[in-house]
Amino acid sequence: MKDRIYLSSPHMGGTEQHFVKEAFDTNWISPLGKNVDGFEADLQSYLGENKEVAALSSGTAALHLALLVTGVTKGDEVICQSMTFAASANPIVYLGANPVFVDSETNTWNICSETLEQAIKDRIAKGKKPKAIIAVHLYGMPFNASEILKIASKYSIPVIEDSAEALGSSYKKQKCGTFGDISILSFNGNKIITTSGGGALVTASAALKKKAVFLATQARDDAPHYQHSEIGYNYRLSNICAGIGRGQMEVLDKHVTLKRKMNAFYKELFSKTEGVSVFTEPSEKYFSNHWLSCILIDQAVTGYSPSEVREALEKQHIESRPLWKPMHLQPIFKEAPFYKTGVSERLFTTGLCLPSGSNLSEEDKKRIAAALQPFL
Ligand SMILES: *Cc1c(COP(=O)(O)O)cnc(C)c1O
């Protein structure tokens, strides 16, 4: 049987083991050490914009701490892009706050600025100004940062930028992960670079980074004994995982190039297929890492549905998946307010994510092209 082709699997570059071995050799097998410092420094220099980075155990942990240090508490409302992975929204609930979902725009698939403003006005009219806005660069495609930041600043609401899928992407030549009042990254196994599991919080403020690290290491007061004046968390990245991250930073740009080549491969493959469109940057302002390449299928034109394509690929041991199911359609969030454009529901019913690994071989691509042949 042929090996399974995955959507996006870990892709090691070679030097990860050197950093991990060094951690072993020096016995720094803890959530502190040279690799944690080194990985944070690598990320800071990659992102630029004078940002401070705190390496954490996951992107979800980073979002939780981002909301916490923003001052979100019980009963608050937080606006969140509906079209995303549940990890963007769950931390709102960890804090006893309530998500308010906003639909997407067609060109970036991300939070629609006009609908965002309507939602803010309506929440204020109903008596509660939202405490934060969580905007997501889905599949690596930057959201319209100019418009979103303009509206956020008009109403003085902080933006938490979920850049979990968008390390290596940029908008108007500025790197994703540097647009939010606080931004987060993920290094989960399926992301563009991985530490097996990990994340980071990005901020312009050294004091805020210090606060995040304090909370991530059980919020110990400055005393020789164990004393706590605040509730803490065990959210720091381990020095072993950070070693993998240092090795991965050396190949991040290469991964971006390879992911973008996968996107070009699908564009070429479907170039003569009516009714199928490959998700592409709307203009020169946007540069996507194309973490996952996605297509939309207009069944009225093609005569086949996304699930027929998915099942045909599955028969050849090739993984594909529907797009993220919007949060306002999730059983867990069915009571949450939702401001609609209709875009995310349409994306969910017509979309499909295709294998996008930076480690796919020419042989893999031939297998994918052969399996897709009947749909071209
Ligand atoms: C992966 C992901 C997260 C969560 O990151 P973890 O490191 O897996 O906790 C959050 N938001 C989005 C959009 C993601 O894709």
Side-chain angles (χ1 to χ4, degrees), residues 7-8 139-140 259 263 279 289-294 353-354 356:
L7 274 191
S8 183
Y139 302 115
K259 292 260 186 192
N263 190 260
F279 188 30
N289 67 10
H290 289 297
W291 168 59
L292 291 187
S293 280
C294 308
C353 302
L354 298 172
S356 309

Side-chain angles (χ1 to χ4, degrees), residues 5 41 117 157 165 169 179 200 249 263 279 311 339 345 367 369:
I5 296 178
E117 182 158 24
I157 304 173
E165 301 176 3
S169 298
F179 288 100
M249 283 306 287
N263 190 260
F279 188 30
E311 281 154 25
Y339 294 83
E345 285 175 34
R367 266 177 68 194

Side-chain angles (χ1 to χ4, degrees), residues 252-263:
L252 171 56
D253 283 332
K254 187 178 123 199
H255 285 197
V256 173
T257 303
L258 290 168
K259 292 260 186 192
R260 288 176 57 81
K261 273 196 182 151
M262 280 310 294
N263 190 260

